[in-house]
Amino acid sequence: MSGDEPIKVALLGCGTVGTEVVRLLTDQAGDLTARVGAPVELTGIAVRRPNKHREVPEELLTTDAVALVDSDVDVVVEVIGGIEPARTLLLRALRAGKSVVTANKALLAEHSAELSEAADASGADLYFEAAVAGAIPLLRPLRESLAGDRITRVMGIVNGTTNFILSAMDSTGAGYSETLEEASRLGYAEADPTADVDGYDAASKAAILASLAFHTRVTASDVHREGISAVSAADIAAAKGLGRTVKLLAICERVTDTAQDGSTTESVAVRVHPAMIPRSHPLAGVGGAFNAVFVEADAAGEMMFYGQGAGGAPTASAVLGDLVAVARNRVVSGRGPRESAYAALPVRPMGQTPTRYHLSLDVADRAGVLAQVAAVFAEHDVSIAAVRQQGRVDDASLVIVTHAAPEAALRSTVDKIGGLPVVREVVSVMRVEGEEQ
Ligand code: NDP
Ligand code: HSE
């Protein structure tokens, strides 16, 4: 391709993100030409309702996304969202050798294998920086900058809506439902907030992060997922009392088991759930709708990536970064990194994944109660890290934090403790992250 020939781009979708992609492509046309080494020309925009899009040139709009993908374009940028028709359109583009830039985490978390295989077969690029943590450059560091290191853990706040709600609950002491209503009123939560509050959005992002970090195909269905709707004002208060705060975390870990003969086996554990973290942890200070991801690697040590995880302009920034990268590759007839899934590590079931629990109990305040509770922990081989008891008139509040133990053992311990006659109420159960095991 010569430097005078334009890189022709088809845009699929022109909503919150797509509108900003068009604006950046227009406003920065001169700079983009200089950075790519060829002009970048937007040749068409596929939407459902063209009459709604007064902000973009009318002659570019079409409702025929298939025809646009099949037209003479070099790159297809997809910001429609959802599985279909995005999947079919992108497979069609990749199979025809057209490079793809997408922000579609739901699609990638389910279908990245077939998309990557289509890209490999035709030699096209598949870039998706905007799919996780909006504007924050995170996937390229995992895929390229850290490709020579061994990543052990990726832990982060990757959903802005839930972080806004949990931050507000922490600062006001209000309950979940009223805070969600406030988040909707302020425009932070969508009309249907299910994907965010039930953890589906974060689980898709966790699957993408784990796949890149551990060179292993991980899909959304491999991710243990819990949302924030069960987080109560009591949980938040219990966390505060212990110098902690509650965050919805996406946690991707490399877990190494050592057998009696000293041999080791590795697996990956990927989960999304609310957890208490110390107020001194770097993720604890991430408030409002911001995202932040903490990465640990053998040689590099600890790193944190922080910034705006959503919104039209921030997400479009990541899309444009990818567009420049794939356009440059086209100009030099090259290709960016392929999918790397060679490690193919097994995904560990949640029941076998080591975690730590915090428990807050209302118990009868009499001799032998602590011993009965401690006996249940011992029976399940769960080691206690800390206990705090506060007596009242005829009952007591008992707070217990465990060492790391398999999730299944912790869950059975809590179930059995809840059934002890001396336990009046299990007030709060929450996993603990971000501190020594
Ligand atoms: P919007 O709902 O705002 O926009 C979707 C666009 O796709 C609309 O222009 C819509 O057309 C168009 N569209 C829908 N179905 C079709 C179809 N069948 N054929 C052609 N066009 C279609 O979504 P967002 O911009 O918010 O999100 C886009 C993608 O970016 C999603 O994958 C999302 O997960 C991801 N993303 C979004 C972020 C954000 O902050 N919004 C952050 C990070 C990622 P019409 O307008 O005519 O209805
Ligand atoms: N709904 C998502 C969030 C948008 O709240 O973070 C970004 O993917």
Side-chain angles (χ1 to χ4, degrees):
M1 184 166 244
S2 95
D4 297 334
E5 275 182 64
I7 300 291
K8 294 183 185 157
V9 179
L11 179 64
L12 310 181
C14 195
T16 305
V17 179
T19 307
E20 288 299 315
V21 169
V22 176
R23 186 181 65 78
L24 291 180
L25 273 173
T26 311
D27 290 357
Q28 303 185 22
D31 285 330
L32 291 173
T33 301
R35 290 172 199 170
V36 167
V40 178
E41 183 191 338
L42 181 59
T43 61
I45 306 171
V47 293
R48 271 178 312 194
R49 299 162 293 174
N51 295 338
K52 211 191 86 181
H53 298 276
R54 305 272 176 233
E55 71 289 357
V56 295
E58 194 185 339
E59 65 277 12
L60 291 181
L61 291 169
T62 175
T63 53
D64 193 345
V66 173
L68 180 59
V69 166
D70 287 350
S71 67
D72 175 26
V73 293
D74 303 290
V75 182
V76 173
V77 175
E78 185 268 314
V79 282
I80 292 176
I83 305 298
E84 290 294 354
R87 172 181 159 273
T88 303
L89 291 167
L90 295 193
L91 284 172
R92 201 176 177 95
L94 291 167
R95 285 175 184 148
K98 294 164 188 184
S99 294
V100 162
V101 173
T102 175
N104 193 334
K105 60 237 164 184
L107 177 65
L108 289 159
E110 288 299 341
H111 296 283
S112 88
E114 67 175 335
L115 291 167
S116 299
E117 280 160 16
D120 288 346
S122 70
D125 275 331
L126 172 62
Y127 276 52
F128 44 90
E129 182 66 63
V132 182
I136 308 171
L138 174 62
L139 303 191
R140 196 132 354 136
L142 291 177
R143 185 150 101 154
E144 297 182 35
S145 320
L146 292 165
D149 207 334
R150 180 176 174 277
I151 296 172
T152 50
R153 190 171 160 91
V154 180
M155 177 168 93
I157 296 164
V158 293
N159 184 268
T161 306
T162 48
N163 199 52
F164 177 86
I165 294 170
L166 292 173
S167 303
M169 286 173 75
D170 186 88
S171 59
T172 64
Y176 166 75
S177 301
E178 60 183 295
T179 312
L180 172 59
E181 274 174 31
E182 178 72 354
S184 305
R185 202 179 57 75
L186 294 172
Y188 284 98
E190 293 190 30
D192 177 5
T194 314
D196 293 319
V197 299
D198 288 346
Y200 290 100
D201 176 80
S204 293
K205 293 165 178 170
I208 296 168
L209 289 172
S211 300
L212 292 176
F214 306 129
H215 304 273
T216 289
R217 282 179 176 163
V218 177
T219 64
S221 53
D222 294 322
V223 180
H224 173 83
R225 176 191 53 77
E226 293 169 33
I228 64 163
S229 56
V231 176
S232 64
D235 292 325
I236 303 278
K240 268 187 161 174
L242 291 164
R244 297 184 172 109
T245 188
V246 177
K247 295 289 183 191
L248 183 73
L249 298 179
I251 303 169
C252 316
E253 293 169 303
R254 187 190 287 273
V255 185
T256 306
D257 291 307
T258 307
Q260 279 184 339
D261 65 2
S263 61
T264 58
T265 49
E266 286 198 327
S267 56
V268 297
V270 192
R271 52 200 163 102
V272 167
H273 56 68
M276 287 183 183
I277 57 172
R279 284 188 178 266
S280 56
H281 192 280
L283 290 177
V286 178
F290 276 78
N291 282 190
V293 178
F294 204 66
V295 178
E296 295 171 36
D298 278 351
E302 296 176 344
M303 289 151 282
M304 178 135 136
F305 299 81
Y306 171 80
Q308 296 196 63
T315 308
S317 163
V319 170
L320 262 286
D322 279 356
L323 179 53
V324 168
V326 303
R328 280 177 180 154
N329 291 341
R330 306 282 299 191
V331 168
V332 297
S333 302
R335 197 182 169 211
R338 303 157 53 117
E339 181 201 29
S340 171
Y342 74 92
L345 296 173
V347 179
R348 202 176 176 98
M350 185 60 184
Q352 294 167 22
T353 299
T355 66
R356 298 181 65 195
Y357 268 32
H358 155 276
L359 247 83
S360 178
L361 310 171
D362 268 356
V363 296
D365 192 5
R366 58 171 189 263
V369 170
L370 189 54
Q372 283 187 51
V373 171
V376 179
F377 280 91
E379 191 186 312
H380 291 89
D381 203 17
V382 174
S383 172
I384 294 172
V387 180
R388 195 179 74 182
Q389 181 174 340
Q390 213 165 17
R392 292 186 286 244
V393 180
D394 63 348
D395 66 357
S397 147
L398 191 60
V399 172
I400 298 169
V401 180
T402 73
H403 283 296
E407 167 77 15
L410 288 163
R411 198 31 64 203
S412 306
T413 305
V414 174
D415 288 347
K416 187 145 185 198
I417 283 174
L420 290 177
V422 294
V423 174
R424 295 186 177 158
E425 189 188 356
V426 178
V427 180
S428 164
V429 181
M430 180 82 51
R431 295 188 189 82
V432 175
E433 294 291 336
E435 52 196 271
E436 291 301 310
Q437 307 277 303

